[in-house]
Amino acid sequence: MALETRTLGDRPVSAIALGCMNLSHAYDVTPPEAEAVALLNRALDLGVTMLDTAALYGGGENEKLLGRAVMHRRAEFTLASKCVLDMIDGKRSLNGSPAAIAASIDRSLARLGTDHIDLMYLHRLDKAVPIEDSVGALVRAIEAGKIGMVGLSEMSAETIRRAHAVHPVTAVQSEYSPMVRNPEVAVLETCRALGIAFVAFSPVARGMLAGAIRDDAYTPGDIRATMPRFIAPQLAHNLDLVAAFDAAAADAGATPAQLALAWVLSRGDHVIALPGTRSIAHLEEDLATLATPIPAATLAAVDAMFAIQDIAGPRYTAAMQAMIETELLPGEVLA
């Protein structure tokens, strides 16, 4: 099946890619491996041509899962992974030094069971290391044939431009949804101007805009239980805002997830949406967005639904925010 495509470097990829993190990490209960394998292969069957993982996810288990599940179909998809954030001896590590990046890439290749990763992101900015040095490590990995393209994640427009001066950046990944608009400050336009693909992770706001959250009774280990917008007392207020979004989706003949994805994709031809799911039914719902017309008036109405001053609670805890370099919105409060 062929899906609508967007451009990533010198290649087309499906406009909706698949984030693989929650098959091994961060949300709810990890599914049985047979279900995860079935979902990954179903995504490829439906025309998804970009899969996104990272060294951090599940302490490397997510990369191992992809290695077992889909590497026999390697020619069918663009493979993206991430370094700098990693698990070292069971502990979370942020290290953007060239030596750490080189070692992380080698470990990722081994876990994935491949000799080449198409797109390697610097997962976060290590402020102790000049971005030029970190990008230089990726350039050497390109020269060695280990990776194909340079990516950045959750970095500012200034850092993107500095990185791009060392080597062309192919993709920038940041959280972006109708509820999280930080890339609109500068990053979205910087990517468009430089010819960089913008990859929007959490485009359905970690399930908030997919009808998945009605209370904060999360499974132990679910990262949303630590995120201020997703827990009481902020959550009840935010769900009142979401109710208007859900109603707009119903009026447009779409599901909330489809409206969120359509809105993200409408923000520019250089934008690729990166939802994740553990459910084949939800995967099929997400991909059906590309065949679900949404009135322009509905997309325009979504713009005004989640003003930063109306959302209760910051995006992250202080500790998590410390690793995020993306610009803040005017009026955004962190604590």
Side-chain angles (χ1 to χ4, degrees):
M1 179 185 296
L3 298 176
E4 175 190 335
T5 62
R6 299 281 168 98
T7 300
L8 182 80
D10 61 356
R11 69 183 68 190
V13 297
S14 52
I16 296 178
L18 180 64
C20 302
M21 179 180 77
N22 58 0
L23 296 175
S24 309
H25 182 91
Y27 294 118
D28 208 346
V29 177
T30 299
E33 177 153 336
E35 293 181 13
V37 170
L39 184 139
L40 290 165
N41 281 278
R42 181 62 175 156
L44 298 182
D45 292 343
L46 291 172
V48 172
T49 58
M50 182 176 174
L51 301 179
D52 180 279
T53 183
L56 179 69
Y57 301 160
E61 291 302 316
N62 197 244
E63 290 180 322
K64 291 179 183 178
L65 171 65
L66 266 65
R68 294 188 294 268
V70 293
M71 283 303 145
H72 64 290
R73 304 178 66 173
R74 183 67 183 85
E76 298 179 40
F77 63 92
T78 292
L79 174 63
S81 193
K82 308 178 193 73
C83 57
V84 177
L85 271 183
D86 208 336
M87 293 290 288
I88 306 296
D89 297 327
K91 296 182 180 180
R92 189 181 178 108
S93 170
L94 173 69
N95 191 336
S97 70
I101 288 172
S104 182
I105 290 172
D106 285 344
R107 291 192 297 269
S108 289
L109 290 167
R111 287 190 293 258
L112 287 159
T114 185
D115 61 0
H116 185 80
I117 297 168
D118 299 306
L119 171 63
M120 178 58 70
Y121 291 96
L122 302 177
H123 204 159
R124 293 290 187 271
L125 178 66
D126 180 354
K127 297 175 183 178
V129 179
I131 188 64
E132 292 82 0
D133 292 354
S134 296
V135 173
L138 296 186
V139 173
R140 287 188 286 277
I142 290 173
E143 292 169 348
K146 296 179 179 181
I147 68 172
M149 298 174 283
V150 169
L152 308 175
S153 179
E154 291 281 36
M155 297 190 193
S156 68
E158 178 185 358
T159 297
I160 292 166
R161 290 185 179 277
R162 285 174 57 190
H164 197 68
V166 176
H167 186 278
V169 174
T170 297
V172 169
Q173 183 174 136
S174 285
E175 183 175 0
Y176 189 43
S177 73
M179 206 168 186
V180 176
R181 308 284 282 275
N182 300 74
E184 294 176 5
V185 176
V187 167
L188 202 62
E189 173 56 23
T190 295
C191 288
R192 187 204 61 77
L194 296 178
I196 299 171
F198 179 86
V199 181
F201 78 79
S202 295
V204 299
R206 304 182 189 276
M208 186 90 80
L209 301 181
I213 297 174
R214 292 294 177 260
D215 57 48
D216 58 1
Y218 302 110
T219 302
D222 191 313
I223 60 171
R224 291 170 294 192
T226 68
M227 293 179 165
R229 292 181 182 177
F230 289 82
I231 56 177
Q234 294 83 218
L235 179 61
H237 171 85
N238 292 333
L239 287 176
D240 286 342
L241 301 179
V242 170
F245 179 86
D246 291 350
D251 288 344
T255 67
Q258 288 169 345
L259 177 56
L261 289 165
W263 182 89
V264 165
L265 291 172
S266 77
R267 308 309 285 178
D269 292 341
H270 64 306
V271 177
I272 297 165
L274 185 68
T277 183
R278 298 179 304 279
S279 162
I280 287 178
H282 290 162
L283 169 69
E284 293 173 348
E285 174 191 338
D286 289 348
L287 297 179
T289 301
L290 300 175
T292 303
I294 305 291
T298 301
L299 296 174
V302 170
D303 290 355
M305 287 185 179
F306 298 102
I308 187 63
Q309 61 269 22
D310 295 335
I311 299 173
R315 177 181 165 205
Y316 282 130
T317 62
M320 294 176 72
Q321 183 65 41
M323 292 189 293
I324 304 298
E325 207 213 4
T326 306
E327 293 83 355
L328 297 178
L329 291 161
E332 186 169 3
V333 177
L334 296 183

